[in-house]
Amino acid sequence: MKKLLLLLLTPLLCISQNDFRKMNWDDSINDLKEKYEDISFTKETQDDFIVYSHSDIVGGIDATVFYTFKNDKLFAAGYLFSLNSFKDSKERLKDFYSVSKRLNDKYDMERDDQWLVKTWENKPDFLDFALSLGDVQLIERGVSDETLIVHTLGQSDGSLSHNLFYTSEESMNSIQEEISDDF
């Protein structure tokens, strides 16, 4: 009887699975506002994209949560960690590892760091120093169902930036097609 019940509920559980928080890819801006009616969002527009964001604490870390829409469909989402704080490279690295552990508990993430200057590459005790110099960009990538996940820590515009991005494979493919059409 338990097996039959589990067999009957499995399709429902799969259908109700969300791609990012309570949202699914292609949900509308109205869906976001209905699901989070108690949150006051900041809205920004650039070209064909509309971004709704708000502050939150994610995994114990201050974050800006954002939802990006294109043609009124959820296109990408994610977290900008500690955007307005003054954490040093050791604290940011600690946050990166904390988020990384949670991601790896849930998804199959692969690490693919980009070393711009290789002086500190094989010296893990100096990783925070290499980050502060902009010598390395820490990158983890994963895929879950139809969702691409990218987790990064590195220099951006003169300061350390810690981000976690989610997007659908379909959205990423459409962007790649647009870029290839430009050439």
Side-chain angles (χ1 to χ4, degrees):
M1 181 68 171
K2 286 183 182 179
K3 287 183 180 179
L4 178 61
L5 185 61
L6 182 63
L7 186 62
L8 293 173
L9 289 177
T10 299
L12 292 175
L13 294 173
C14 292
I15 290 170
S16 67
Q17 193 78 15
N18 296 315
D19 296 309
F20 182 79
R21 293 189 150 204
K22 296 177 186 177
M23 298 289 289
N24 293 302
W25 304 124
D26 292 338
D27 278 358
S28 71
I29 293 170
N30 284 335
D31 293 330
L32 176 70
K33 291 177 180 180
E34 287 173 8
K35 292 175 183 177
Y36 291 102
E37 60 189 3
D38 58 329
I39 292 179
S40 176
F41 289 98
T42 300
K43 177 183 174 184
E44 296 180 43
T45 304
Q46 184 173 355
D47 300 324
D48 294 340
F49 299 98
I50 298 174
V51 179
Y52 284 84
S53 64
H54 68 93
S55 297
D56 203 349
I57 296 176
V58 178
I61 305 168
D62 289 334
T64 298
V65 182
F66 68 91
Y67 302 84
T68 304
F69 294 87
K70 183 176 181 182
N71 300 324
D72 196 32
K73 293 182 179 182
L74 183 63
F75 180 84
Y79 307 102
L80 307 174
F81 293 103
S82 308
L83 192 62
N84 297 317
S85 70
F86 298 99
K87 292 185 174 188
D88 66 18
S89 56
K90 283 185 182 184
E91 292 171 303
R92 299 260 183 178
L93 186 58
K94 183 179 172 184
D95 288 348
F96 179 85
Y97 285 135
S98 174
V99 171
S100 178
K101 181 181 180 337
R102 291 171 187 252
L103 284 172
N104 281 284
D105 287 347
K106 193 171 179 179
Y107 309 110
D108 184 24
M109 302 293 289
E110 289 187 30
R111 188 84 174 259
D112 183 25
D113 298 343
Q114 303 289 316
W115 284 90
L116 306 172
V117 177
K118 298 184 183 266
T119 306
W120 312 104
E121 185 173 10
N122 296 314
K123 299 175 184 172
D125 291 341
F126 293 94
L127 184 56
D128 64 307
F129 184 64
L131 281 164
S132 69
L133 293 175
D135 291 353
V136 63
Q137 177 95 2
L138 305 184
I139 302 170
E140 288 184 303
R141 291 184 178 93
V143 177
S144 173
D145 298 323
E146 302 282 320
T147 301
L148 302 175
I149 306 159
V150 180
H151 180 215
T152 64
L153 175 64
Q155 286 283 344
S156 176
D157 296 326
S159 63
L160 277 177
S161 179
H162 180 195
N163 306 305
L164 177 54
F165 300 107
Y166 296 80
T167 191
S168 71
E169 285 185 300
E170 183 180 320
S171 296
M172 187 54 67
N173 291 338
S174 72
I175 289 284
Q176 289 174 338
E177 285 177 22
E178 285 179 27
I179 291 171
S180 66
D181 287 345
D182 288 344
F183 292 101

